[in-house]
Amino acid sequence: MMFLKVPFAEKDEAKALGARWNNERKSWYVPDGKAVEAFSRWLPPGGADFVPAVAKPSLKARPVMTDSYAGKPVIGRYYIELQHDCDPFDSCPVCAPKLASTGWQGHYDDVVKMLKPLRPA
């Protein structure tokens, strides 16, 4: 996925060429598999902002599903980007303060409590 700097007045032209809108980043992008040459005038200065469409194939990475509309990653609403490569389900002294400050740990603990009665004895 390559993000573009498209002025509002040119959005229809970019869309006609196949650009898609990313609502999270509030930016137009070139979907994977599309040739970027047609979009060269909207590439940001200093090179394109490239974002892979799928997450790393790791248990530590967030679970990603692909939306059939534009091949966009679909991320849960409690997703938090960790700059440290660790498993958020294990205690990590680097990531624990960030997880605690965002409320992620509280949501995780609530889910564990809710599922506990469903576990076989």
Side-chain angles (χ1 to χ4, degrees):
M1 187 181 310
M2 193 166 301
F3 286 91
L4 306 168
K5 299 286 183 187
V6 179
F8 182 79
E10 299 174 10
K11 70 176 180 59
D12 292 330
E13 186 179 350
K15 185 176 181 179
L17 290 171
R20 297 274 186 227
W21 178 254
N22 182 306
N23 204 33
E24 286 181 22
R25 292 201 40 185
K26 305 291 185 212
S27 182
W28 288 94
Y29 68 93
V30 180
D32 292 335
K34 275 265 190 213
V36 296
E37 290 78 24
F39 304 95
S40 61
R41 71 181 192 190
W42 297 306
L43 291 177
D49 184 10
F50 177 75
V51 177
V54 290
K56 299 181 285 185
S58 163
L59 292 177
K60 297 177 184 178
R62 65 185 182 265
V64 175
M65 300 175 296
T66 302
D67 183 294
S68 62
Y69 173 65
K72 300 179 288 189
V74 178
I75 301 169
R77 66 180 173 154
Y78 296 119
Y79 169 74
I80 296 170
E81 183 76 40
L82 298 175
Q83 300 302 320
H84 185 256
D85 190 24
C86 68
D87 185 349
F89 300 103
D90 291 335
S91 182
C92 172
V94 175
C95 298
K98 182 173 184 177
L99 292 174
S101 70
T102 60
W104 184 92
Q105 189 66 49
H107 293 297
Y108 174 73
D109 293 341
D110 291 343
V111 170
V112 169
K113 285 180 198 173
M114 183 176 60
L115 295 177
K116 193 170 188 170
L118 300 176
R119 286 190 171 167

